[in-house]
Amino acid sequence: MARDDPTLQQRGEKVTATVVKKWRDPAEGRKNRDYNYALEHQDGTEVPGPAMKTTSDRYDVGQKLTVLEDPRGELRPQTPGQADATGESLGSGALALAALGAVGWMTWRGSDTARRRDDGKPSAGMRKAYKAVTGNHATREAQEERLRAPLRTYPADRRGYIKVQPEEYPDLPQQRAARIAWEMGLRAEATGNRGSWRFKETVIEEVPHD
């Protein structure tokens, strides 16, 4: 299943956009309901192309984002982090297994009991699943540098948090991400993340960093 990311990276234009509407896909059996976001430029014109889509609830109405837009209006806009994942062809069976593994790990990480026992780093098998799903084969050092970019530039949500998705950094334990954030004057939130990593200058409960 080829992805459109390389094409968007080649001809996409980086712009600042505002989320003006958010909705979920209609329920279809057990199919995952993705989140859709309608975007506008700062001058009030629509960002061309279909609505931006994510698999989890990442953004709020009124939030400003840096995205790559397709000037032809054929491809969905994506954040630079989404578009960085290089496209590759995967068999449908392998993709399904990888996705199930990724979802299983996120469920494990989401429980309070697991959080107390887990060191925040997925197993080698789960890291492989994430890399298969996201197309992210960057080294740990490259992932650390990639994490610094949103911590510097991403706008905060309505609660003041900078929110990133851990699957984009499959080789980084949360404690290492917390250390990187601490070096940049931020703290990693340990509670109420709903599958995301959240960072802020002051948090309710800080993730211990290495």
Side-chain angles (χ1 to χ4, degrees), residues 164-194:
V164 303
Q165 302 307 307
E167 59 265 31
E168 296 180 9
Y169 315 95
D171 293 313
L172 293 187
Q174 192 175 16
Q175 287 82 356
R176 178 56 184 161
R179 173 69 182 192
I180 293 171
W182 178 80
E183 292 172 353
M184 302 178 68
L186 298 171
R187 302 291 184 270
E189 179 63 79
T191 63
N193 290 320
R194 294 193 301 174

Side-chain angles (χ1 to χ4, degrees), residues 16 18 40 110-111 126 182:
T16 299
T18 303
E40 283 188 357
S111 71
M126 290 306 164
W182 178 80

Side-chain angles (χ1 to χ4, degrees), residues 129-207:
Y130 270 118
K131 290 180 179 182
V133 172
T134 64
N136 183 352
H137 297 279
T139 64
R140 172 167 170 159
E141 291 73 17
Q143 291 172 35
E144 289 184 359
E145 188 59 33
R146 180 181 294 173
L147 176 61
R148 290 185 175 93
L151 295 181
R152 283 194 300 264
T153 61
Y154 273 24
D157 63 17
R158 59 189 177 189
R159 295 185 177 90
Y161 287 100
I162 296 173
K163 184 163 56 175
V164 303
Q165 302 307 307
E167 59 265 31
E168 296 180 9
Y169 315 95
D171 293 313
L172 293 187
Q174 192 175 16
Q175 287 82 356
R176 178 56 184 161
R179 173 69 182 192
I180 293 171
W182 178 80
E183 292 172 353
M184 302 178 68
L186 298 171
R187 302 291 184 270
E189 179 63 79
T191 63
N193 290 320
R194 294 193 301 174
S196 302
W197 286 344
R198 297 189 300 161
F199 304 92
K200 194 178 179 183
E201 291 183 359
T202 58
V203 296
I204 298 173
E205 180 181 346
E206 184 176 359
V207 174

Side-chain angles (χ1 to χ4, degrees), residues 5 28 32 45 75 91 123 155:
D5 297 340
E28 295 182 16
N32 289 335
T45 58
L75 306 177
S123 67

Side-chain angles (χ1 to χ4, degrees), residues 33-46:
R33 297 177 62 196
D34 292 341
Y35 289 80
N36 299 272
Y37 303 89
L39 305 176
E40 283 188 357
H41 297 117
Q42 299 304 288
D43 62 4
T45 58
E46 294 182 358

